[in-house]
Amino acid sequence: QDSERKGFMNKLYAIQDVCISVQNALDDVASYGERIKNTFNWTVPFLSWLAIVALGVATTVIYFIPLRYIVLAWGVNKFTKKLRDPYIIDNNELLDFLSRVPSDVQVVQYRELKLDPNPSPNKRKKNNP
């Protein structure tokens, strides 16, 4: 019976670990969705302007340069990157950009506090003695 109980508890802990990892993954996906929404919602105007300018430049480049040459240059860059600099650290610029845009939870947390126009009754002005 004792070994059965330990086996059941191990299964219960394994299920809890899986539930926690699934919840964290869904939280990350929702956070990135909120960040994309906030990019085009102009929550942080500088980052929104940066995204609009980058999309405009990409559209202009794709319009004037054939897609075949762009794919060729991207492939050459990708496959010769390790030859040019073997100790380079890979990063994703799109995820770096999205990490700088606040999610909805962060927007609520960092919202400026509004000042109360009416002073509290405890802070009355002192009369002349």
Side-chain angles (χ1 to χ4, degrees), residues 39-40 42-56 97:
T39 299
F40 296 106
W42 298 88
T43 303
V44 181
F46 173 74
L47 294 176
S48 297
W49 275 114
L50 185 65
I52 296 297
V53 168
L55 288 173
F97 174 78

Side-chain angles (χ1 to χ4, degrees), residues 50-107:
L50 185 65
I52 296 297
V53 168
L55 288 173
V57 168
T59 302
T60 306
V61 166
I62 289 174
Y63 181 76
F64 286 114
I65 300 174
L67 188 60
R68 178 180 294 172
Y69 295 139
I70 295 171
V71 171
L72 180 67
W74 173 78
V76 168
N77 180 37
K78 180 167 179 63
F79 292 114
T80 62
K81 193 179 288 188
K82 289 289 185 182
L83 295 174
R84 287 181 277 136
D85 191 3
Y87 302 111
I88 194 167
I89 298 172
D90 289 334
N91 67 334
N92 190 337
E93 284 82 10
L94 184 61
L95 292 180
D96 288 345
F97 174 78
L98 285 178
S99 70
R100 286 161 174 77
V101 178
S103 64
D104 288 346
V105 174
Q106 291 172 338
V107 168

Side-chain angles (χ1 to χ4, degrees), residues 111-120 123:
R111 184 176 293 153
E112 292 184 54
L113 296 175
K114 295 181 180 177
L115 294 175
D116 188 16
N118 299 327
S120 66
K123 296 183 179 177

